Amino acid sequence: MSLDSKTNHFDDRVGNIIEKEKMVMKKRVGKKMITIIAAMVMAAMVLTSCGSSGSTTSEATTSTGTATSSATNLKPVTLTFWSCGDKRSAQDQVLAAFCKEYKSELNIDKIKFNYVSFGDYEDKMTSLVAGGDDFEGCFVADWMLYNKMANKGAFLNLNDLLAQYAPTLYKTYKDAGVANICSIDGQMVTLPWLQKKSSKPILLFRKDLADKYGVDYSNLQTIEDIDAFLEEAHAKIPNITTFESGFPRGNTYSDVLAILNSKYNMDTMNYHMLTNNFDTKLIPIEQTEMFKKAVTWMQKWYNDGFVSKSELSETDTQEFANGKTFCRVGLYENAVQGITFNVSGAELGWAEPYPDGKFRYDSPLNNAFAINKNAANPERALMLLELLDTNEKAYDMFMYGIEGKTYVTEADGSIGYPEGQDSSNSTYLDWFKWPFIRTQFEKPSGSNTQKAIDMNNTWLAKDNFIVAPLIGFGPDTSPIKTELAQRDQLYDEQGKLLLAGIIEGGNVDVAVQNYIKAQKATGLDDILSYLQTQADSYAK
């Protein structure tokens, strides 16, 4: 569906939004990035207006006809996907029903989802691909797996396959201007979502415990405020670990470092431990004052006992929800959607540190899906993704399950839990579906209520959220692959320990300087020289 077919009202609406985005970005990014983000806004608006309940659009019907009409002539296959998180109890039942419902379009016998904890996910996927496993696809993100594997050729080149088996989806990415962000040497290697989001850190805490023991949470805007808050909580609240985030893991190098990004107005690139001042000048994180301060604070909190000494070996990824910790760092979506506590009477409190500090909008690569280079059935996986992008009925079944069993449709059109289910015992809703979200069909569902969506959109409209000049930066790194591998390995071996507050000898200045020296020895000058040239070219 083209913009030419829209009403004048829609054209005006798109134009107004684009102009607003341009005004915010004008002084911060180059023409290239303004074009990309403006196109993303247009694409989202087009997708929203094109959705029609239970049917494909006329364009989707035409463009997918070639890809799907011959599905029954293809051999039946099983698709295997990998993702983070936990499996829902009804997933096998839902996906079996889905395969049966859309057999004529896809001829898929079975869709098998395998789940790995966030902490183990990168190692698991790296070993699977290196070993030649022929699974079809997996969840990736700029903060999880993508940068480490994309330039190693772990993902399939998709341009030709998309054009043949998912033409509407391919057109969506090109029209949105994000195809280049997800490409290496002109080839798309991953399939991103198009949802606006920011991973600016939010402090989450047990409000019920703070109230019970008289811990003051009225002012939590700076790192010093947080330190005083943790000091008081540690002194007053018994039988609980005060702060969960001891060891860097998940979607950031360090939760404390992420908080300090807004204090120092530095970009959270999540790219080989590099940062910038929201320009294109690349800076090694370990050489910043921000890094040393993060190490200093974590050393204090580790030594003072705020953080569990067994954090390095902790296997429970839901410590906060399970009542083991008083406080942790999360996202704004956790604050507005809530946390499902497995503790009676638990109540969530939250605060936004440095509320006026700059922070980036997430890249489209913040949640994405990649096709394995060894995939047994890549064409069928793309046919599935094309169906989800063009058929709302199929999307609803894949994303929400079976009506009456795993979800109910509320009077306002939102998706709710069936009787007897909620976020704590849902059999399907709230599963880890991020890489499959399609803006044109997505509905308020489960804990992501319309109220939560509205609050999130209002928050994202704040002026301190910006489009980073190097959003989506991911050049071909084959000329420096050895140096980057050494830099990443050194971070894993030494940098993580520093950011966990574990300092050999106890002297932060000496430890950080030794780490800086060791990183320089990995070939850092060559890394910076090459990547700076690429960054300058990318931002033009």
Side-chain angles (χ1 to χ4, degrees):
M1 186 176 292
S2 68
L3 283 175
D4 293 338
S5 66
K6 304 297 169 213
T7 64
N8 290 333
H9 172 67
F10 175 66
D11 288 333
D12 292 341
R13 198 155 45 106
V14 172
N16 290 338
I17 292 176
I18 293 173
E19 288 307 313
K20 181 179 178 181
E21 292 284 345
K22 284 183 178 179
M23 289 297 291
V24 173
M25 294 183 289
K26 188 174 182 180
K27 296 183 180 180
R28 298 177 178 143
V29 299
K31 293 180 179 179
K32 175 180 178 180
M33 293 314 301
I34 289 177
T35 301
I36 289 175
I37 302 302
M40 287 176 64
V41 174
M42 278 201 298
M45 295 296 290
V46 172
L47 290 172
T48 301
S49 67
C50 287
S52 57
S53 180
S55 63
T56 61
T57 65
S58 58
E59 178 184 0
T61 302
T62 300
S63 62
T64 58
T66 300
T68 60
S69 61
S70 60
T72 53
N73 298 323
L74 299 173
K75 66 177 182 179
V77 299
T78 294
L79 298 184
T80 301
F81 299 146
W82 287 83
S83 192
C84 304
D86 301 310
K87 185 175 182 177
R88 299 287 175 167
S89 61
Q91 187 152 51
D92 289 343
Q93 177 188 0
V94 169
L95 294 179
F98 179 88
C99 291
K100 181 178 180 180
E101 180 72 17
Y102 294 99
K103 185 173 180 61
S104 62
E105 289 88 351
L106 302 172
N107 205 11
I108 297 173
D109 268 353
K110 183 178 182 180
I111 299 173
K112 181 181 179 182
F113 264 96
N114 297 308
Y115 291 90
V116 182
S117 68
F118 280 88
D120 297 330
Y121 188 68
E122 286 199 357
D123 289 342
K124 179 65 175 180
M125 300 316 301
T126 300
S127 63
L128 284 176
V129 173
D133 194 285
D134 65 354
F135 70 90
E136 274 68 34
C138 62
F139 166 74
V140 298
D142 53 3
W143 51 270
M144 177 72 81
L145 197 64
Y146 176 78
N147 290 322
K148 182 176 288 188
M149 297 188 67
N151 281 303
K152 294 180 179 180
F155 307 138
L156 197 64
N157 290 341
L158 296 174
N159 289 9
D160 292 342
L161 288 170
L162 279 167
Q164 182 175 357
Y165 294 106
T168 303
L169 183 60
Y170 193 26
K171 183 177 185 298
T172 295
Y173 289 140
K174 290 193 291 185
D175 288 349
V178 302
N180 289 339
I181 291 177
C182 307
S183 296
I184 294 177
D185 290 338
Q187 280 284 338
M188 283 191 70
V189 294
T190 191
L191 307 166
W193 72 348
L194 294 176
Q195 190 157 309
K196 198 171 187 178
K197 178 178 175 288
S198 177
S199 295
K200 188 173 191 285
I202 300 293
L203 193 71
L204 308 175
F205 61 90
R206 288 280 300 279
K207 182 178 180 297
D208 59 303
L209 294 180
D211 289 338
K212 178 178 179 180
Y213 292 98
V215 178
D216 181 15
Y217 51 83
S218 61
N219 184 28
L220 294 171
Q221 294 196 16
T222 69
I223 195 71
E224 290 80 11
D225 295 337
I226 295 171
D227 178 58
F229 174 67
L230 297 180
E231 286 269 14
E232 186 178 9
H234 187 68
K236 291 182 176 180
I237 304 176
N239 304 320
I240 196 167
T241 298
T242 306
F243 188 56
E244 179 176 328
S245 184
F247 191 63
R249 58 185 176 185
N251 69 342
T252 183
Y253 297 126
S254 158
D255 287 336
V256 177
L257 192 62
I259 290 173
L260 292 176
N261 273 279
S262 289
K263 174 180 180 177
Y264 289 90
N265 288 324
M266 302 194 81
D267 188 15
T268 54
M269 289 181 65
N270 283 324
Y271 186 77
H272 300 291
M273 295 83 69
L274 298 174
T275 185
N276 61 77
N277 291 300
F278 288 105
D279 52 23
T280 60
K281 179 66 174 177
L282 297 176
I283 306 169
I285 287 178
E286 67 273 10
Q287 296 183 18
T288 66
E289 179 68 14
M290 176 179 69
F291 181 87
K292 188 168 76 169
K293 287 295 185 182
V295 174
T296 301
W297 284 113
M298 277 309 306
Q299 182 196 42
K300 178 183 184 301
W301 296 349
Y302 183 84
N303 289 343
D304 289 352
F306 300 174
V307 177
S308 170
K309 294 297 191 291
S310 62
E311 182 74 11
L312 293 175
S313 58
E314 179 60 62
T315 59
D316 185 358
T317 60
Q318 298 293 323
E319 292 180 88
F320 186 60
N322 291 334
K324 295 180 180 179
T325 56
F326 168 70
C327 179
R328 77 171 179 89
V329 173
L331 302 177
Y332 189 75
E333 62 194 52
N334 302 133
V336 297
Q337 293 179 20
I339 297 289
T340 302
F341 287 104
N342 300 314
V343 181
S344 177
E347 184 180 357
L348 178 67
W350 63 273
E352 180 182 356
Y354 300 100
D356 298 322
K358 290 181 183 178
F359 211 87
R360 66 153 52 194
Y361 287 117
D362 289 345
S363 162
L365 285 170
N366 187 253
N367 287 298
F369 188 79
I371 304 295
N372 176 19
K373 69 175 183 180
N374 305 312
N377 304 287
E379 80 294 330
R380 215 69 61 89
L382 290 173
M383 288 167 64
L384 168 63
L385 295 176
E386 175 79 347
L387 184 68
L388 298 180
D389 196 61
T390 56
N391 188 310
E392 186 171 10
K393 182 180 178 181
Y395 179 88
D396 287 351
M397 188 173 189
F398 188 85
M399 299 295 276
Y400 310 124
I402 302 170
E403 188 164 14
K405 293 184 178 180
T406 64
Y407 77 93
V408 294
T409 302
E410 306 290 2
D412 61 359
S414 64
I415 302 297
Y417 298 106
E419 185 177 357
Q421 293 186 33
D422 57 28
S423 59
S424 66
N425 64 359
S426 169
T427 60
Y428 195 70
L429 288 186
D430 300 326
W431 67 287
F432 192 86
K433 61 186 179 181
W434 296 349
F436 302 101
I437 289 176
R438 298 293 177 255
T439 308
Q440 70 271 35
F441 297 144
E442 185 68 2
K443 303 168 181 65
S445 64
S447 59
N448 192 30
T449 62
Q450 187 61 55
K451 180 181 178 181
I453 292 171
D454 292 342
M455 289 178 66
N456 192 57
N457 289 339
T458 299
W459 183 67
L460 288 171
K462 295 199 308 179
D463 289 342
N464 55 304
F465 288 111
I466 67 174
V467 179
L470 294 181
I471 185 174
F473 178 63
D476 175 18
T477 57
S478 55
I480 53 170
K481 63 181 181 181
T482 300
E483 292 86 350
L484 279 180
Q486 291 173 346
R487 176 170 174 78
D488 292 345
Q489 182 178 350
L490 188 62
Y491 167 73
D492 287 337
E493 294 174 352
Q494 297 183 25
K496 285 184 176 180
L497 290 176
L498 292 177
L499 288 169
I502 303 173
I503 314 299
E504 186 176 356
N507 190 312
V508 170
D509 288 337
V510 171
V512 170
Q513 284 303 314
N514 286 341
Y515 180 60
I516 290 173
K517 183 178 179 180
Q519 280 289 8
K520 287 181 177 179
T522 65
L524 181 58
D525 286 345
D526 291 336
I527 292 173
L528 290 175
S529 176
Y530 176 80
L531 289 180
Q532 189 61 63
T533 299
Q534 300 300 314
D536 292 341
S537 176
Y538 178 82
K540 287 181 180 178

